[in-house]
Amino acid sequence: MQYFLSLCATGLVMGVIYALMALGLTLIFSILKVVNFAHGEFYMLGGYASYFLLSTFTGLHPLLAVFISGLIVGAIGLVFELIFLRPIHKGQIERPSEYAVLVTVGLSLFLMNLSLAIAGPIPRRPASFLAGTVQLGTVNISAERLIAGVCSLILLGLLLLIINKTWIGKALRAVSQDKDAASIVGINPLAINTIAFAVGAGLAAIAGALLAPIFSVTPDIGATPSIRSYIIIVLGGMGSIPGSILGAILIGLVESLGTGYFPDPTRALNYKMVYGLVIFAIVLLFRPRGLFGRKET
Amino acid sequence: MTPTFARAPRVRIEWLVISITLVVAIAIPFYLEKVSLYWLHVLIIAYFYAILASSWSLLAGVAGQFSFGHMAFMAIGGYTSGLLGKYFGLPPLLGIPAGTLVAGLTGLAIGVLCLRFKASYLALFTIAFSEILRILIRGEYGITRGDQGLHLEMLFGATTSKLPYYFTMLALLVFSLLFMYWLVNSRVGLFLRAIREDEEAASARGVDVVRYKLMAFVITSMIAGLAGGFFAHYIGILTPNTFVLPQMGLVIAMAIIGGVESLVAAAIGGIIIQVSLEVLRDFDAWRLVIFGALLVITLRFARNGLIAPLLERLFGLGPRAEKRKKESDSHGV
């Protein structure tokens, strides 16, 4: 029982962090109708940004570095959106959906190799927030993970508040439902696109920076979390915000329990991602629109 | 009658270019074998990437379906043949077809799962499949030898000459290009292009959309598996690192920079990029930064790639030539 509870606690905490990243992807998908295949690279850049900030400015609080990293990577996302994605929505691109896939793949290849060229293949680990473990009732959990989880939870709450309660949130929702109708009532869809992409990139970066002290950063670290986010958004329903949060927590729990109860502990970690792929296949077979997705035409 | 006169020399140029290319491709290994075995090896690998890039461009550029599993299918071809050889003593000549078949069956399963939906599901599923397959092959080192590498029997036994490998890879490239060219110019190719342009319209005109998408996906997966099987028996060792995602990104860059709608342009893109990766070895990691940037810029500003427009001009194909032909037709009348 003890073991089960501690696995659940880890799963929940990781799920909340996954949700942050998946929410960024969902935000981009629901507004721009583009799957961002460079999402993992934004995560990786977040980790590097936090590492280089902390090693340049000693004395900077690690959590402050996390948020500055989010801002830096958000700005990179903003510039990319303006140059390469805005032309899609201005109707300057032939076969826009293909272009969107390929151009984000190109960005991912570019960013990954750029970090390899600049930072090299050595794993970098930014300063930890807090060492040791924390006792929650009867369950022990690593302090780093707990802090990362709590930060993600606060950020998620803040985002949901913004999306549901503010003018800009209303504009975001309006554009995701009907771009033309939104522009009739005076919302500039192009500006909303840019904001959504920058925020989405920033969220991935914050997730990367939060997890960097736990897993270290290398140029190729983005692949696994981005694939996990793709699985989460398909499970939750492409473009659904509650779906991506719930999907993330489910995936977090399944991974944690699946790894914890795998018969051969030495090989358990290899199968961590396999559960996600199986869930992906099951969703495609039985409920292609996911948990909360709008019905596909 | 004027149009036939106007077109006659163009046909001659076409055949001239093709035959010169073939003569050079056949003659060059005999020269390289004396000068530099290393560059002969580079060419063999370049042809291998040309097969991958052109078959990926059949799927993406002609049928409009995006798979990030092309390198994974390549690896399935190689690993199937290698594992069958290691555990059941199957010779490469039987292992390679078996690997091709397994790649095709895997493609069929994934295709049935994903191709009923919009294109993005195939991309999402194959990227997950590819990476997770790599993690599994790496993790199950008891069976696959993991990062230490799976040793394979060489295709041509003990011979140290690279010439037979060169000619087999060249033949593989030429025949797969001929086969795909025939496919693209058949009714199937017409259906695939119709699906790419507008799935619903194609479906309304009676094209069985899922069936033809599936066909294109399985065929290109099998070509990747075949190339992978042969590649594995040439290199003699397979590691999971041969199909990391950046490597898949590189194949995509080859196809796009060459010209994704033209099989030959994609193949030439593959050869040129693979050779320039070797030429630019001093730049180390910066080489891929350059090609990544080139990929994004090509997509944005030269959608047809950098090589396809040259081919069009040379061979008088493509929209501009069609227009010219139409003009000369109307003048003729």
Side-chain angles (χ1 to χ4, degrees):
Chain A
M1 196 58 197
Q2 178 78 34
Y3 186 56
F4 176 77
L5 281 180
S6 78
L7 288 178
C8 284
T10 311
L12 274 176
V13 168
M14 294 310 287
V16 172
I17 304 169
Y18 297 164
L20 202 59
M21 197 176 167
L23 190 65
L25 199 60
T26 295
L27 202 60
I28 295 172
F29 181 80
S30 65
I31 309 278
L32 286 92
K33 311 286 178 249
V34 164
V35 177
N36 174 24
F37 282 99
H39 213 58
E41 279 57 49
F42 290 143
Y43 170 97
M44 175 266 301
L45 285 184
Y48 271 121
S50 148
Y51 171 81
F52 282 114
L53 279 172
L54 287 173
S55 55
T56 319
F57 306 102
T58 41
L60 190 69
H61 193 276
L63 284 179
L64 197 59
V66 167
F67 292 103
I68 299 175
S69 311
L71 290 178
I72 295 173
V73 178
I76 296 174
L78 184 119
V79 172
F80 175 77
E81 203 281 341
L82 285 179
I83 301 177
F84 290 101
L85 296 181
R86 182 162 279 201
I88 299 178
H89 299 276
K90 289 166 97 180
Q92 294 168 342
I93 305 282
E94 270 181 72
R95 274 182 271 123
S97 57
E98 290 177 20
Y99 169 81
V101 173
L102 292 173
V103 84
T104 52
V105 169
L107 176 69
S108 131
L109 189 68
F110 175 72
L111 290 178
M112 195 188 303
N113 288 299
L114 189 67
S115 347
L116 183 65
I118 293 173
I122 320 136
R124 314 269 186 176
R125 189 187 289 269
S128 142
F129 312 124
L130 193 65
T133 58
V134 174
Q135 185 130 30
L136 280 179
T138 56
V139 174
N140 281 319
I141 187 162
S142 102
E144 269 173 342
R145 283 185 199 221
L146 192 65
I147 289 178
V150 170
C151 287
S152 306
L153 204 59
I154 294 170
L155 213 56
L156 277 179
L158 211 64
L159 271 167
L160 288 180
L161 212 64
I162 292 174
I163 290 171
N164 289 316
K165 298 287 175 199
T166 64
W167 186 87
I168 187 92
K170 204 181 244 179
L172 282 168
R173 280 179 292 142
V175 174
S176 89
Q177 283 165 12
D178 191 332
K179 201 192 299 169
D180 296 330
S183 62
I184 288 171
V185 296
I187 299 164
N188 178 3
L190 291 179
I192 295 291
N193 281 342
T194 311
I195 293 172
F197 197 83
V199 172
L203 288 178
I206 289 177
L210 283 173
L211 290 180
I214 305 173
F215 297 124
S216 304
V217 198
T218 53
D220 58 357
I221 194 155
T224 308
S226 67
I227 287 166
R228 188 181 289 119
S229 307
Y230 303 143
I231 294 170
I232 289 168
I233 63 164
V234 172
L235 170 64
M238 303 277 277
S240 157
I241 287 169
S244 59
I245 295 174
L246 194 69
I249 290 172
L250 275 175
I251 293 279
L253 284 173
V254 167
E255 279 186 359
S256 175
L257 291 172
T259 310
Y261 286 109
F262 197 79
D264 177 1
T266 56
R267 283 155 61 225
L269 272 178
N270 301 332
Y271 287 87
K272 192 174 170 190
M273 292 290 287
V274 176
Y275 309 115
L277 191 68
V278 173
I279 289 175
F280 197 147
I282 291 172
V283 170
L284 284 185
L285 274 178
F286 298 108
R287 197 179 164 85
R289 67 194 167 103
L291 295 173
F292 291 97
R294 295 180 203 153
K295 198 142 202 171
E296 289 298 341
T297 43
Chain B
M1 290 307 282
T2 354
T4 42
F5 283 120
R7 282 178 66 196
R10 201 166 288 286
V11 174
R12 238 176 271 153
I13 290 173
E14 201 175 311
W15 282 107
L16 197 67
V17 172
I18 290 176
S19 39
I20 289 176
T21 314
L22 271 180
V23 167
V24 170
I26 290 171
I28 207 164
F30 296 103
Y31 169 71
L32 282 179
E33 203 193 16
K34 295 202 176 65
V35 186
S36 159
L37 282 178
Y38 170 70
W39 284 103
L40 191 57
H41 170 76
V42 169
L43 267 188
I44 298 174
I45 301 300
Y47 291 164
F48 166 68
Y49 276 104
I51 299 171
L52 291 175
S54 62
S55 53
W56 190 82
S57 81
L58 172 63
L59 188 63
V62 178
Q65 307 302 312
F66 292 94
S67 159
F68 294 117
H70 216 56
M71 289 304 273
F73 289 115
M74 181 285 291
I76 288 176
Y79 267 102
T80 306
S81 181
L83 291 174
L84 285 175
K86 185 173 179 224
Y87 293 103
F88 301 100
L90 211 65
L93 276 180
L94 292 175
I96 293 173
T100 311
L101 194 68
V102 174
L105 289 176
T106 317
L108 185 69
I110 293 178
V112 167
L113 199 61
C114 301
L115 288 171
R116 290 176 291 148
F117 310 109
K118 289 177 308 176
S120 53
Y121 280 110
L122 183 70
L124 291 171
F125 194 87
T126 47
I127 200 171
F129 169 77
S130 173
E131 187 63 9
I132 289 161
L133 182 73
R134 189 181 72 85
I135 294 172
L136 279 184
I137 288 180
R138 192 175 182 188
E140 291 295 330
Y141 46 83
I143 302 167
T144 61
R145 311 285 300 136
D147 280 336
Q148 287 184 307
L150 179 71
H151 286 274
L152 292 97
E153 199 183 322
M154 299 299 277
L155 183 63
F156 295 108
T159 172
T160 50
S161 165
K162 286 186 188 297
L163 283 182
Y165 293 101
Y166 177 90
F167 284 111
T168 320
M169 197 61 100
L170 181 64
L172 220 54
L173 173 62
V174 170
F175 283 112
S176 63
L177 276 178
L178 284 176
F179 169 70
M180 290 191 287
Y181 186 80
W182 167 78
L183 193 74
V184 167
N185 288 293
S186 71
R187 269 168 72 83
V188 177
L190 182 68
F191 292 161
L192 290 178
R193 281 194 299 274
I195 291 169
R196 178 191 69 188
E197 292 301 330
D198 190 334
E199 271 198 42
E200 277 156 38
S203 166
R205 294 299 296 268
V207 177
D208 188 343
V209 170
V210 176
R211 191 175 141 209
Y212 284 100
K213 285 201 285 189
L214 200 56
M215 192 173 176
F217 186 54
V218 172
I219 288 175
T220 50
S221 303
M222 287 178 79
I223 293 175
L226 176 67
F230 179 70
F231 170 78
H233 285 289
Y234 162 60
I235 298 289
I237 185 166
L238 264 183
T239 67
N241 289 332
T242 45
F243 67 113
V244 289
L245 287 176
Q247 210 63 36
M248 182 66 233
L250 190 63
V251 171
I252 294 176
M254 290 167 172
I256 301 285
I257 293 171
V260 76
E261 286 170 50
S262 157
L263 301 172
V264 178
I268 295 175
I271 294 174
I272 290 180
I273 290 184
Q274 188 57 35
V275 171
S276 24
L277 281 177
E278 294 297 332
V279 174
L280 304 173
R281 206 155 250 288
D282 292 340
F283 290 86
D284 210 30
W286 287 100
R287 296 172 297 173
L288 286 167
V289 180
I290 298 169
F291 286 118
L294 197 59
L295 167 59
V296 176
I297 292 167
T298 307
L299 269 168
R300 175 67 188 86
F301 300 106
R303 193 64 193 282
N304 292 334
L306 303 179
I307 292 162
L310 292 179
L311 287 182
E312 276 172 14
R313 186 156 288 187
L314 193 63
F315 290 148
L317 303 166
R320 202 172 293 150
E322 292 288 321
K323 203 171 140 201
R324 210 164 37 227
K325 205 163 75 187
K326 244 177 240 159
E327 273 166 11
S328 67
D329 276 345
S330 57
H331 287 310
V333 178

